[in-house]
Amino acid sequence: MAQHRLGIIMNGVTGRMGMNQHLIRSILAIRAQGGVALKNGDRVMPDPILVGRNKAKLAQLAKAHGLTRWTSDLNAALKNHEDTLFFDAATTKLRAKLLRKAIAAGKDIYCEKPIAETLTDAVDVARAAKAAGVKHGVVQDKLFLPGLLKLKMLIESGFFGRIPARRMAAASSSTCSATGATCSTISSAR
């Protein structure tokens, strides 16, 4: 049974969501469990390099969690051929640009939602990833929480009857220009 290293460039992990949800509760938890087991018995072990703007925060975060790889030089991180996956949890305003940069460097991409500020940019990123032949994905973890799945089942079964309106805390709605559908975006208040 072999262990396979998965080098992950983790951009934006000094922020609350990137650090807690993605680094600590996901990647570090997987490492603590000995990696991800494959059907053949092999294991995939994530090996993150932390990337961000603040060197002091990166160094402190890496030290606190026993990691040795961190940098404030995203371009250098993207040039490392041994790190094949780019993860972004930094600001949404820069995400599409950063994802395109990672795609151009041949990295598979995985990011926090939303992919971009506009539907046009999001579709452009998805098309660029497909054209480059890189794997790409977006975090959708909250959609599959047991409570939300139960709520969905109850709504679909008609348990609540007709629901004339909905409200989500800390959410904003807009009309999707491509489909005319109402889209809700949940954002955290600071």
Side-chain angles (χ1 to χ4, degrees), residues 99-168:
L99 293 174
R100 285 187 198 101
K101 190 176 208 176
I103 292 166
K107 305 300 180 190
D108 295 326
I109 58 170
Y110 178 62
C111 68
E112 183 58 65
K113 59 188 171 296
I115 296 171
E117 289 190 293
T118 68
L119 177 61
T120 301
D121 280 344
V123 170
D124 181 58
V125 168
R127 286 181 177 147
K130 184 175 182 178
V134 299
K135 296 176 182 125
H136 51 288
V138 180
V139 174
Q140 297 292 332
D141 59 333
K142 304 300 183 275
L143 298 176
F144 304 103
L145 290 172
L148 291 179
L149 291 175
K150 179 80 172 204
L151 179 62
K152 180 182 177 205
M153 181 202 64
L154 290 171
I155 290 169
E156 289 175 351
S157 74
F159 178 81
F160 298 111
R162 182 178 167 269
I163 301 175
R166 72 181 188 314
R167 180 171 184 257
M168 296 181 77

Side-chain angles (χ1 to χ4, degrees), residues 40-57:
N40 68 359
D42 289 359
R43 298 189 82 76
V44 175
M45 180 62 74
D47 182 18
I49 178 167
L50 310 183
V51 180
R53 297 175 307 221
N54 188 315
K55 291 180 182 180
K57 281 185 179 181

Side-chain angles (χ1 to χ4, degrees), residues 16 169-171 186-190:
R16 180 186 55 82
I186 299 174
S187 59
S188 59
R190 292 187 188 239

